Each structure stands twice: as C-alpha cells, then as structure tokens.
Amino acid sequence: MNDNAMYIASVVATYWVVSISMVYLNKVLMSNEGISVPAPLFVTWYQCVITCIICWAAGMCGQRARGADVERAKYTAVPVNEGAGAAGGNSNNVPPKASFFAQFPKAEYLMGPAKQVFPLSVVFVGMITFNNLCLKFVEVSFYNVARSLTIVFNVFLSRVFLGIPTSFKTILCLGVVIVGFLMGSHGELNFSLIGTVSGVLSSLFVSLNSIFTKKVLPVVDDNHWKLTFYNNVNAVVLFIPLVLIFEYDVLSESMQQLTSEEFWAAMTVAGFFGFSIGIVTVLQIKATSPLSHNISGTAKAAVQSLMAFYIWGNEPTVMGVLGIFTTLGGSLLYTFVKMGENNAASQAQAPVQNQVSETNKTQEMKIGTKQSTFSPRMRKAPGSNDSNTAEDDTMNLSLTNSLSNSALNEGEDDEKDV
C-alpha cells in the first residue's frame, strides 16, 4: 500500500472514530444515570464554551505558525548559491509547506460582525439543542433515522427560499427517505415522541443553518473558523437564560455529578470531539471527494446504528433495521442523483460557453482583418486569447466556489453534533 492510500485510509478511519465516539459519548452525557446530568441545555452550553476556548488557542497557534512560515519563506526563497540554483532549477525556490495551524485565524469578537451573525447563531442554538434532545430521548440505533429528514427539508427550503427546481428523480429519493423514516419509527420498540419530534426539528434547523451560513459567510471573510468562533460565543450567551429558566432546579439537585471529575472529563472530551469533527470532515473531503465523503458517512452511520444494538443493548426489529437501511439508501441515492444532475448541468453549459468563445474569436478575426487592411500596426499580437483566458478563470473560480460550498455542506450534518 503506497503512502497516499495509507493517508486516505488513516483520514477516513479518524473520521469514523471521532464521529462515532462523539455520538456515543454525548449519549452517555445525556442519559447515563451514573455520569449524566439531565440538563441537555447545560451540557450543550459547556461544549460551546470548550469550542470557544479551542478556537482561541488555535488562533494563537495560527498567528505564530504564520509568522514562522513567513520567516522560513525568507530563507528558502534565496538560493544557497547561484551555481546550485542554476544546476538544480527551482528546487531551492520551492516555498515551504504551510503549517497545519496556519489555517486558523486570530479569534476576535467584534460587535459589527457579531450582530450580523446573530440570526445564524439563533438557528445554530436551535439546531444543536434539538439534536441533543433527540439523542437524549431516542435509542442510539434509531438516532440516524430520527434525523434522516434533513435532505427533505434541504430540498424544500431551497425551492421555497432560493427558487432551486426539484427533479422527479430527487423527489423519488426523498420519498425513499420518508418511507424509511416511517418504517423505522413504526419498528422502534422504545419509541419516543419527544425524541422523534426533536430529531425532525433538528433536521429542519440543519437546513436553515445551511441557508443562513451561505448568507453570513461573507461577513467573516468566507472563513469557516471565524464563523465557528462567532457562532459559539453567541451561543454561549444565548444558552445562559435558557439554562437558568429550564434547568436551574435540575442542576441544583445534581451536585454530586457536578462535583465529579469523571463528569467534567467526559464533558471536555465531548467538546473537543465536537470541534474535531469539523476538521476531520474537511480532511476527508480533501483526501477523497464530496461523493466519497457522503458514501463514507453513510457507511459510518450504518455501522454506528448496528454497533448500538450490541453496545447499548437496543433490541432490533425487522422493521427497525429495514428503516435504517432504507433511509441511508435513500440518502445515498440522493447523493448520486445530485452529482449526476450537477455534472449534466456542467456539460450542458460547456457547449454554450464554447459557442460564445468561437463567436468572440470570429468577431475578433473580422475586426483584426479590418484593422490590418487600414492600419497594420493595430494587428492583434499572435498567440493572445483574452476571451479564453477569462473564460478559464471564470470556470476555475466556479469550481473553487463549488468545492468550498460542497465541503461546508457535507460537514454540516456532523458538525451539528457539537
């Protein structure tokens, strides 16, 4: 196995371990009698605090890393001697690889951007609150089914707010997911209405979070880590009144757990995993592709649900297991359909762009012919093609934006488990 294959395997394995561990650990914090505190809002608030601290520390490391990278670049940019530079080509001029921490910006909280991010933070609070409420009340094996309607809300809200049309194939895929959700709900022995409703609401808020994120990202210079810091700082403030109103009495009666080192260690590790899942999600997408990430996530969800039957002692039923695989299968089909539609749209635009380019070339040739007839000095320089260059730049920019948005969207379903 070569180094690249080993790297991809290690990234995928890390994603699986972090994602599954985070769900299981949060389940312990939400429902284990010996460790947990029956206060999901307080647990979520503390994990947001941990995320803020990690963002601040990563930002400090990022500042130092960028400074060190600049210093190294000063030395590596100058060849050791002219003879070596000539003999070795540009080997001495290759810039050093940026440090891992260089991607993290300095954690700053400015009131202007904070106010603009605030509506997204309200949605973010609703998303992680209902997600943890779902995890508290439903069995881990049913957890993925309870939150499976995210793509249904994504398509619906994209049609309502963004005017994006929906194909018949997409509707069929959504139908498969909905059928799987109903099958899983019917087959769940320990069915919880509160937990299931929380899962549906969590799916709704995930979709809203996606739409609001795309609108708010320019406020923070399209930097996902800046948005993470602002979101979690705002969430820390928003959770305080909710905790005091709904969980003050519960916390007062749980002093034994609140003074336990084991409880705080589990809380801190869960908060660290919540931050780490964003990193490993992006790493997996970069190491493979958005499609491969979706396939990996679907397989991970299946393994996570099946392991829950053994680890948590959830009793399986035929209808429940069929519901799990139907929802996951529908989600995977949706991924392939969307990728196919996107590729078809790109191929359909290519002939139009080529026709426009050919038309521009023809017009330039006519203008060049006229100019050469009346003024030879006005002739176009051979080899220049401004139209094609601009076209290539536009296509490259669109591809970059598409990959960035895809990476962000693929990470949302995992990041909401913070």
Side-chain angles (χ1 to χ4, degrees):
M1 185 179 290
N2 57 33
D3 293 340
N4 186 51
M6 284 291 294
Y7 172 73
I8 293 174
S10 64
V11 169
V12 173
T14 303
Y15 168 78
W16 278 47
V17 170
V18 171
S19 182
I20 294 176
S21 300
M22 181 180 59
V23 173
Y24 287 178
L25 186 54
N26 273 334
K27 180 61 176 179
V28 171
L29 290 171
M30 295 293 169
S31 58
N32 186 281
E33 294 181 1
I35 299 176
S36 70
V37 174
L41 296 177
F42 172 74
V43 172
T44 309
W45 171 82
Y46 180 78
Q47 293 178 1
C48 289
V49 171
I50 293 298
T51 301
C52 292
I53 295 173
I54 295 176
C55 284
W56 177 81
M60 295 295 291
C61 294
Q63 269 191 306
R64 295 181 181 180
R66 287 188 292 274
D69 289 343
V70 171
E71 289 299 321
R72 284 201 302 271
K74 290 180 181 178
Y75 292 100
T76 55
V78 180
V80 177
N81 55 69
E82 293 182 0
N90 294 329
S91 60
N92 292 325
N93 294 328
V94 176
K97 186 177 180 179
S99 168
F100 168 78
F101 286 101
Q103 64 180 305
F104 298 103
K106 182 180 179 181
E108 295 179 318
Y109 189 82
L110 304 176
M111 291 306 299
K115 290 180 180 179
Q116 292 178 279
V117 174
F118 189 79
L120 171 63
S121 300
V122 174
V123 174
F124 176 72
V125 167
M127 179 180 71
I128 57 179
T129 298
F130 285 115
N131 179 77
N132 282 345
L133 285 173
C134 173
L135 187 57
K136 174 180 173 61
F137 289 106
V138 305
E139 302 288 1
V140 180
S141 57
F142 181 66
Y143 176 61
N144 284 307
V145 176
R147 301 180 310 124
S148 61
L149 297 182
T150 299
I151 60 173
V152 177
F153 287 117
N154 273 340
V155 172
F156 175 75
L157 294 178
S158 297
R159 181 65 181 265
V160 172
F161 292 107
L162 304 178
I164 299 177
T166 306
S167 68
F168 180 70
K169 291 182 179 179
T170 299
I171 295 175
L172 288 179
C173 294
L174 299 185
V176 173
V177 173
I178 294 173
V179 169
F181 172 80
L182 296 175
M183 291 172 62
S185 300
H186 181 72
E188 179 64 19
L189 293 177
N190 300 317
F191 179 78
S192 169
L193 180 61
I194 296 176
T196 304
V197 171
S198 296
V200 174
L201 290 175
S202 173
S203 300
L204 173 61
F205 276 101
V206 169
S207 301
L208 289 173
N209 184 76
S210 175
I211 293 175
F212 276 85
T213 296
K214 292 177 182 178
K215 293 183 178 181
V216 171
L217 262 177
V219 174
V220 291
D221 304 321
D222 289 324
N223 190 294
H224 188 53
W225 297 118
K226 285 185 179 181
L227 184 60
T228 299
F229 180 70
Y230 275 106
N231 240 351
N232 281 274
V233 172
N234 288 345
V236 167
V237 176
L238 288 170
F239 270 120
I240 291 176
L242 296 177
V243 171
L244 293 176
I245 294 171
F246 295 105
E247 297 179 346
Y248 178 80
D249 294 336
V250 175
L251 294 173
S252 301
E253 298 171 357
S254 305
M255 294 307 298
Q256 182 178 356
Q257 287 91 339
L258 293 176
T259 55
S260 168
E261 294 180 0
E262 188 179 32
F263 169 75
W264 289 109
M267 289 270 284
T268 303
V269 172
F272 175 77
F273 278 159
F275 178 83
S276 300
I277 190 64
I279 296 176
V280 296
T281 297
V282 174
L283 285 177
Q284 180 171 247
I285 293 171
K286 288 183 177 179
T288 57
S289 68
L291 177 59
S292 299
H293 168 68
N294 262 348
I295 296 173
S296 173
T298 302
K300 183 270 303 179
V303 171
Q304 174 183 300
S305 298
L306 294 178
M307 286 174 58
F309 287 119
Y310 174 76
I311 296 175
W312 300 94
N314 303 152
E315 185 176 351
T317 63
V318 174
M319 190 67 73
V321 174
L322 287 176
I324 292 172
F325 284 99
T326 302
T327 55
L328 295 178
S331 300
L332 192 59
L333 285 174
Y334 171 80
T335 300
F336 281 106
V337 167
K338 292 303 292 182
M339 292 292 290
E341 290 178 352
N342 291 338
N343 291 335
S346 300
Q347 293 175 1
Q349 291 177 358
V352 176
Q353 292 176 343
N354 292 335
Q355 184 177 1
V356 172
S357 179
E358 291 297 329
T359 302
N360 291 338
K361 286 181 182 179
T362 304
Q363 292 177 349
E364 289 174 1
M365 291 176 63
K366 290 180 179 180
I367 294 174
T369 303
K370 291 180 180 179
Q371 289 177 345
S372 63
T373 304
F374 296 101
S375 178
R377 295 181 183 179
M378 297 294 289
R379 192 174 301 161
K380 188 175 178 68
S384 63
N385 196 340
D386 297 335
S387 176
N388 283 349
T389 302
E391 183 181 336
D392 292 340
D393 290 341
T394 302
M395 292 176 67
N396 290 335
L397 178 61
S398 299
L399 178 61
T400 302
N401 290 337
S402 176
L403 290 175
S404 300
N405 290 334
S406 178
L408 180 62
N409 290 337
E410 302 304 335
E412 284 165 1
D413 197 45
D414 289 311
E415 288 170 354
K416 68 174 178 292
D417 293 316
V418 173

